[in-house]
Amino acid sequence: MEGNCFNQTVFLFTLLLAIAASSVRGHSTRVGFYSSTCPRAESIIKSTVESHFKLDPTIAPGLLRMHFHDCFVRGCDASILIDGPNAEKTAPASQFLKGYKVIDDAKFQLECECPGVVSCADILALAARDSVVLTKGTSWAVPTGRRDGTVSKASDTDGNMPGFQDTVDVLKQKFAAKGAHTIGTAACEVFSYRLYNFTSTGADPSINPAFVSHLQALCPQNRDGSRQIALDTGSADRFDTSFVANLREGKGILESDQRLWTDDLTKKFVQRFLEVRGSLGLSFNVEFGKSMVKMSNIEVKTGTMGDIREVCSKVNEY
């Protein structure tokens, strides 16, 4: 079980794609793909995301995480949206995903505006960008022109998604084979093992001792494991770099997050995000935008590959 591990998603996009070249294969997407065939496509998606965000701000991390899950399984082809008893969305790693209704609403409006033109995969990629902007994060130009996949299997998620107990070496392998978090939450049951009996003397020693007490108060032993805790302490609802500072202070909620500060290679990059931008410093917003473009082009289907689904949750029948 992963919990709503949005912070790991966002920060690892940026960090690990900065370390290793991603394997972006066969893409021919471009910015402005729908400029003549559906000029209002991006504005319709943006307004749809905004209207849902006003009612429920948690759809922002939900949509970004959904895009991440989609791209890491069969590439960025909207296969995560397909319904079915054994589809990707039924896998344990996908159980906390949210935002499906946002995509469905945007697709319905687009089918009225320009039927059969805009893919579900592109809607998801654009909605992820718009979600980041709504949480005061950076914007970036999203290349479009993806087509939708027609296959969705829960079994394809096995071993592909980064896990909250993965070592840094395993995380780097998974990102290099396919190709970031500053808002969001995780359930107590996902990380509480670090708070009690992690070692013979108690909690995980990599956690700041004062922070251990704070987390134990939020997640008492053998109590409600489904309670959601902010991953980015002090800045849970804002897209910013405080998550990086939290790692330095021993306040990484997930074990795999905190390892980014204890691993020699990744620590160098974390430190660069903490430095003033210049010869050594890295801009989180700039690097995040670059890494999102890389990730969104993983194994995309373009041209005559795939399909343009009429309903995002259903494969077209011919």
Side-chain angles (χ1 to χ4, degrees), residues 216-243:
Q216 288 175 335
L218 294 174
C219 299
Q221 194 170 17
N222 301 321
R223 298 288 289 276
D224 181 13
S226 64
R227 183 179 183 183
Q228 297 290 321
I229 306 300
L231 283 164
D232 189 6
T233 303
S235 183
D237 299 321
R238 189 178 181 89
F239 189 98
D240 56 24
T241 59
S242 67
F243 171 74

Side-chain angles (χ1 to χ4, degrees), residues 30-33 42 122 125-126 129 140-144 146 293 296:
R30 59 181 173 83
V31 175
F33 182 84
E42 294 198 22
D122 278 342
L126 290 162
R129 186 270 311 276
W140 63 92
V142 178
T144 46
R146 299 165 190 79
V293 171
S296 69

